[in-house]
Amino acid sequence: MNSLKDAAYMHLAYGLAEKALGRASPNPYVGALVVKNDVIVGHGYHEGAGRPHAEIAALERAGRRAKGGTLYVTLEPCVHWGRTPPCVDAVLSAGVKRVVISALDPNPLVFQKGVRKIRRAGIDVTVGVLEERNRRLNEFYAKYITRSIPFVTLKAALSLDGKMATKKFDSRWISSPPTREYIHLLRAEYDALMVGVNTIIQDDPRLTVRHSNWRDKKLTRIILDSTLRLPRQARILSTLAQGRILVFTNMNAPRPKKEALAKLGVEVISLPGAAAIVDLHRVLAALGKREIASVLIEGGGRLATSLLEKKLADKVVLTISPRFIGGKDAVSVFGGEGPKSLKDALSLNAVSSFQIGEDTLLEGYF
């Protein structure tokens, strides 16, 4: 056993896993290598739901050369039937002498069961190589598979004084063109975008992925609209070929408007609740049932404030432009009453930042 060699091969396996970013949901991102006599004889990654899992693809490429080799896989092999057969059985029949696993699968159907079955077969198993890398790569999957609700990221473009728009709701454009291009790449990694209906009314966005690397990306768009004020002429309604549209409203919203949207191909989901509010807990539960594992929140101030107040966001991505907007009535990313004491303020963990031109991008977790 050589820990440096194991880490090197596992880094390569992660490079394969990352090729599926934005494409494998609601399944995890997984890469695998088969190595024999210091030669890579098989490789693969999980390309999408219903496609062969990473270790199956790697073992099939290796063929007979897998016997006596080492399988490197970024996530514990599954032991249950889903859209594909259990991977553990293929690992055992391949005749490998060693399996190196980066991280255990948090899925209760798999957790530790794959490792135990491989060890019972007399195969040497090493677990934990580059485990932290898996935690970040599969953060969407880990929350979805254990809690049945999506991972929620709040994204906002801000001025230096934390404003999302002027008092007249003008927000085009706070961030620079290179930053906006990056945001399209970020969008593509998620299953869905969510906005409040005010964002649709004020900005009339399409909420699509417009980047040459992602011409085929279909993105679910989610609109929170308690009284169905969504304009019939909104540009987003002409983009159904680029992804489904879900509108969450309340039970007492006008039936004719629900029917009109349904005729256009929009899925209208009625939830219990007060006339002016859509219950965010119920929204997330409904999205989980629809196998949406990740949601990027893009607007506006009221929705951002609700998510932060209810502590429903897992992560924030803030793009900060070097300008001041000012004005007590300008739109802030976090409004509401606010805490009385600084000790009650929300804090971020694992904060990182980088530059795109003059803009600063900051990421952190709650």
Side-chain angles (χ1 to χ4, degrees), residues 15 46 53 65 78 88-89 105 147 160 162 221 224 236 252 270 346 351 359:
H46 180 50
H53 287 189
R65 294 174 295 175
C78 64
V88 163
D89 296 343
D105 191 332
R147 296 180 56 188
L160 283 173
R221 280 71 55 77
L224 306 185
I236 192 171
N252 55 356
S270 300
L346 295 178
V351 177
D359 293 340

Side-chain angles (χ1 to χ4, degrees), residues 23 29 37 67-68 96 195 229 238 263 269 280 282 286:
R23 304 184 191 278
Y29 303 124
N37 299 326
K67 187 172 183 179
V96 296
V195 299
R229 294 185 294 128
S238 66
K263 287 180 180 178
I269 303 158
L280 289 172
R282 292 179 185 272

Side-chain angles (χ1 to χ4, degrees), residues 227-228 232 252-264 268:
T227 57
L228 290 184
R232 289 285 300 273
N252 55 356
R255 181 179 294 275
K257 289 188 176 181
K258 293 180 183 179
E259 293 173 350
L261 287 172
K263 287 180 180 178
L264 294 174
V268 181

Side-chain angles (χ1 to χ4, degrees), residues 108-123:
L109 295 174
V110 181
F111 183 68
Q112 295 186 341
K113 297 181 179 69
V115 170
R116 283 200 295 266
K117 189 167 183 178
I118 295 170
R119 282 182 171 150
R120 281 200 299 266
I123 298 172

Side-chain angles (χ1 to χ4, degrees), residues 24-45:
S25 184
N27 291 351
Y29 303 124
V30 186
L33 297 175
V34 181
V35 179
K36 187 173 183 180
N37 299 326
D38 291 330
V39 175
I40 297 172
V41 296
H43 66 276
Y45 67 97

